[in-house]
Amino acid sequence: MEMSDKPRENCGLVGVFSFHKDAVSHVLYGLVNLQHRGQEGAGVVVSDGKRLTAKKGMGLITSIFTKEIVEELREGYIAIAHTRYSTSGRLSAVQPFVEDGVGLAHNGNITNISTLSTIIGINEQDIMSDTWLTLKFILSQKVESTTEKIRRSLPKLAGAYSFLAITPDALYVMRDPWGFRPLVLGRLPSEGWIVASETCAFTANEATFEREILPGEAIRIDKNGVETIYFDNRGPLSRCIFEYIYIARPDSRIFGSEVHVVRRRCGQILAREAPVEADVVVSIPHSGDSACHGFSEASRIPMVEGVFANRYIGRAFIEPLHRRKQTTKVKYGVIRSDIEGKRVCAVDDSLIRGDASRSFVGLLRDHDAKEVHLRIAAPPLRFPCFYGVDFATPQELIARREKDLEGIRLATGADSLHYLSYEGLLKAVTNVDFNLKIPPEELFSANGFCGACFTGQYPVATSGVAHKEDMKDIYESTDYRYRQVNVTAS
Ligand code: SF4
């Protein structure tokens, strides 16, 4: 059994320009609050005004950045930080990358790396990662200033990117024209600026939300303040709808709405679309919590604690066990009095492989639930993401593997199973009624959101990712459609 039926999260970014040094404390406070976006490695680059210093490590942020390391970096007044899920598991893959006085950190996935590598004459087999290649690409521009190098590079990039770059005297922030990944700007209380993947990174710094970095915008922050240095309106706007479903933290405000509010609406709409006769509602901890609250409110079925996750075991302990049956029993505790003899409706935010749901249903039955019903607060997930979220391979996705809803229900062992409709999801995200005139499978974008993992319609060409080894098999086995993106190839 898999330890988790969730995507391996993508990445988290924090950047700070402080007028009072100690930028490192600000980025680390922020990064700890973005730990949910990646747990395998983290790195920081700091500028003291003359030179850049980088520190990186594998594992959780609190274990990498010891007191001694933080002391070493205290003199810096500009800093960028990155936490990631590392596909390679190697320290050399941990960001930010630093070369020739520029550091770069990235959340997303560049989809035209073959074009970029051809332009600057790097062999595909020598490409370390899309972030590494982008830094090489920026540095290859034949102009002096970093600002100009960035201006010249951005029109050539395609795909999903939120970038932070650092030089000895400035912080650069860039978001792709499609707006895939969230990126927000805030103000530090002690004079200075903070940029992060989500607003939850502001809380511990007592920073105030200023605005989103606009899709296609690049800004430079230095001692003179914030300046927009570039704007690209290639669009179409394709914000990742899965950020709302699972990736972002519930207390964050991204793409204009609080995440918890959107998830709660998903649960409310799901309860109306797929009512159930049940005695209690439980969340599959903890990613289903917000949707479960909404489901309970709309259905008027009481939400009970029922199952809780053991907060003191980490991934590192669970992973070696992941093929053994007792993983769920190690990970969860069950409150028998909430479950025994009851018709239980379990709500989760999404269903990917299905193995974990099957175990969860089994766990409830082991505690003598009379019936177990599953409600999923997202549509069936049938396609991979090429824009930076690491799902299972298409063959592993349960909604693709099984031929219909009944097949999925049988595979999970539930008494009934229903998903939120795509229209319902759009309604939850926008808070307006959505009446799609065409099937979701023909939508490239609805109201400025990418939903390609549900619809199979990719808003930006994905051919470049075929050159990344870990994406090649997925790319070749997927029936995808995409919109052509014009990139100047010179
Ligand atoms: Fe997000 Fe899915 Fe689009 Fe990837 S394919 S960017 S996960 S909505």
Side-chain angles (χ1 to χ4, degrees), residues 180-181 238-243 247 384-389 391 450-454 458:
F180 280 103
R181 301 279 148 235
S238 309
R239 296 162 297 177
C240 172
I241 210 162
F242 207 75
E243 289 274 353
I247 300 169
C385 174
F386 294 109
Y387 308 129
V389 180
F391 290 127
C450 170
C453 45
F454 303 111
Y458 293 86

Side-chain angles (χ1 to χ4, degrees), residues 252-483:
S252 283
R253 192 177 172 83
I254 57 164
F255 308 145
S257 299
E258 188 185 76
V259 174
H260 170 74
V261 167
V262 172
R263 287 185 191 158
R264 196 164 142 198
R265 277 203 292 260
C266 286
Q268 290 166 344
I269 297 166
L270 177 62
R272 286 182 211 114
E273 287 185 350
V276 61
E277 300 226 339
D279 303 308
V280 292
V281 184
V282 298
S283 162
I284 301 193
H286 287 281
S287 54
D289 290 359
S290 298
C292 190
H293 278 286
F295 194 96
S296 171
E297 284 156 10
S299 65
R300 295 174 185 268
I301 301 170
M303 179 177 169
V304 294
E305 179 83 7
V307 183
F308 61 92
N310 182 339
R311 294 172 200 267
Y312 302 102
I313 51 166
R315 199 173 275 209
F317 179 77
I318 276 281
E319 236 155 32
L321 296 173
H322 82 271
R323 298 213 176 276
R324 292 163 62 177
K325 243 185 141 188
Q326 71 265 39
T327 308
T328 309
K329 287 175 182 160
V330 174
K331 201 175 164 194
Y332 297 123
V334 179
I335 299 165
R336 181 174 275 279
S337 58
D338 277 348
I339 302 299
E340 189 174 0
K342 309 258 172 69
R343 297 170 300 171
V344 180
C345 175
V347 179
D348 206 355
D349 64 289
S350 57
L351 187 52
I352 298 180
R353 296 180 196 84
D355 299 350
S357 303
R358 183 177 182 80
S359 296
F360 195 85
V361 170
L363 188 71
L364 295 176
R365 292 206 194 284
D366 286 349
H367 289 78
D368 297 323
K370 198 164 143 200
E371 294 170 13
V372 181
H373 303 271
L374 275 182
R375 294 294 180 270
I376 310 298
L381 208 144
R382 294 198 175 93
F383 301 91
C385 174
F386 294 109
Y387 308 129
V389 180
D390 187 8
F391 290 127
T393 63
Q395 295 78 9
E396 288 172 318
L397 298 172
I398 190 169
R400 201 177 172 91
R401 223 171 57 217
E402 301 296 336
K403 75 176 188 327
D404 55 20
L405 189 65
E406 178 59 6
I408 302 170
R409 183 193 71 76
L410 287 171
T412 60
D415 292 296
S416 77
L417 178 140
H418 284 281
Y419 288 94
L420 180 66
S421 69
Y422 198 64
E423 288 86 345
L425 173 61
L426 292 173
K427 182 175 175 178
V429 166
T430 58
N431 202 22
V432 294
D433 279 323
F434 244 87
N435 189 1
L436 294 178
K437 302 273 189 289
I438 55 172
E441 297 73 36
E442 290 175 23
L443 271 181
F444 275 104
S445 171
N447 223 56
F449 286 95
C450 170
C453 45
F454 303 111
T455 64
Q457 310 302 306
Y458 293 86
V460 175
T462 56
S463 54
V465 299
H467 299 274
K468 295 178 82 171
E469 268 317 303
D470 55 343
M471 296 298 271
K472 201 166 180 173
D473 291 345
I474 295 176
Y475 183 81
E476 285 172 356
S477 62
T478 307
D479 48 335
Y480 64 93
R481 289 178 55 209
Y482 63 85
R483 273 197 175 150

Side-chain angles (χ1 to χ4, degrees), residues 50 74 103:
K50 296 192 191 81
R74 280 239 200 263

Side-chain angles (χ1 to χ4, degrees), residues 8-11 37-38 83-85 107 181 243 247 388-389:
R8 287 171 293 200
E9 302 80 347
N10 46 26
C11 301
R37 296 183 74 91
T83 184
R84 72 168 304 192
Y85 162 72
N107 173 203
R181 301 279 148 235
E243 289 274 353
I247 300 169
V389 180

